Amino acid sequence: MSESLLPKNIAELKAYSSAKSEKLTGTTWLNANESPYAKEFQLNLNNLNRYPEPQPENVIKAYCNYSQLNPEQVLMTRGADEGIELLMRTYCESGKDSIAIFTPTYGMYKVSADTQNIAINELDQSLLLDGEVCEITQSVGNAKLVFVCNPNNPTGSLTPVSKIAALAKSLEGKAIVVVDEAYIEFCPEQSAVSLLQDFDNIAVLRTLSKAFALAGLRTGFLLANADLLVAVRKVIAPYPVSTAVALIAEQALSSDSVTQMRRQVAILNGNKTRLKTLLSESSKVTQVLSGEGNFVTLQLRNKCDIDVAMRTGTIMRPFTLFGEDNWLRISIGNEQELEQVKLWLEQPE
């Protein structure tokens, strides 16, 4: 009975398969681009009988200090994923409009569009990286939203800020360029936030899940100029952020915590360099993608080596990329976790 009530686009929808959707057992978790660092927070929860602030003032103020923006340019969301949903719900008309993505890239752009019956103009990541802006603009067509994951997940590739600016300029009055900066703390000099002072058609997605080590909090931010966000504020749920989440996010964005985050990022970037060296020297590996973010994506000579790692409790993320199913993404962990990867690579063929 219920199936007969489903809209066609939902009945045919292929759900996003997250790293945590499979029930895996292991001891070393390097499959979900999480931070290896955990932190304790202080909570005073004696007012849960009251609704929270729709946009918690202290958190918005703290993120403004961090991002060098004004409060009207910052919207707090339930992870960056809600920002993706909100932009589509606000600016795309179901059954009529389209978005543009550059694959391979983050899978939730497609799932969100399919859920809302929004067409997808699927372009190649190489066009974004190597194509001229006029060529990209022409290929984008009538897309209302153009998603640029930067650094890109799962390849780690970077689109220069100058190219994002040129793309936004060529699409003025036609489309919004959505820059997903989930991993930008690992290469902060590449952020497109500085472009907001010159462009009304750029939106930036941010999260506390990666460098801030708060994947379990589900907290993100949508950054854009006030006019763009006015419409989004109409669409967002009335109380999207719980009191507990706001309290933790405020502490995570204190100046001391931001300093600690940057120290941890420096350590993880160092570990990434060491991991890339190990991979480049391994006979198990045929190709390493040299990208940014807290992960390294590589191609294995023998796909069965993934199963060997899983059996020893080292959990990494298999991928099918460029038409081949022997790709693997390894999240950057701490020294002990890096050692487990090293032991796996050193196992005889």
Side-chain angles (χ1 to χ4, degrees), residues 125-132 135-136 163:
Q125 185 75 207
S126 61
L127 172 65
L128 177 64
L129 298 175
D130 304 323
E132 297 293 329
E135 183 186 0
I136 299 170
K163 194 166 195 176

Side-chain angles (χ1 to χ4, degrees), residues 52-64 70-84 86 204-208 214 217-224 229 232-233 235-253:
E53 292 180 85
Q55 288 290 299
E57 186 177 348
N58 289 343
V59 181
I60 298 298
K61 182 179 178 182
Y63 205 83
C64 286
N70 301 318
E72 62 271 16
Q73 296 173 297
V74 178
L75 187 72
M76 190 175 180
T77 59
R78 289 170 285 199
D81 287 344
E82 188 183 26
I84 297 168
L86 285 169
V204 177
L205 297 165
R206 290 284 186 87
T207 184
L208 299 188
L214 285 172
L217 197 65
R218 307 309 304 126
T219 296
F221 296 89
L222 176 56
L223 314 177
L229 288 182
V232 181
R233 292 180 194 277
V235 175
I236 194 170
Y239 303 106
V241 182
S242 77
T243 300
V245 165
L247 288 170
I248 293 171
E250 182 184 347
Q251 293 173 58
L253 289 165

Side-chain angles (χ1 to χ4, degrees), residues 115-180:
T115 301
Q116 300 178 56
N117 198 25
I118 296 165
I120 302 164
N121 185 358
E122 193 169 318
L123 305 169
D124 200 274
Q125 185 75 207
S126 61
L127 172 65
L128 177 64
L129 298 175
D130 304 323
E132 297 293 329
V133 169
C134 59
E135 183 186 0
I136 299 170
T137 303
Q138 187 175 14
S139 299
V140 160
N142 295 322
K144 279 274 193 78
L145 303 174
V146 179
F147 284 87
V148 178
C149 192
N150 212 37
N152 185 52
N153 176 22
T155 63
S157 58
L158 267 172
T159 304
V161 175
S162 58
K163 194 166 195 176
I164 293 172
L167 183 60
K169 185 169 181 58
S170 71
L171 291 171
E172 276 181 322
K174 302 174 186 174
I176 298 168
V177 178
V178 185
V179 188
D180 187 342

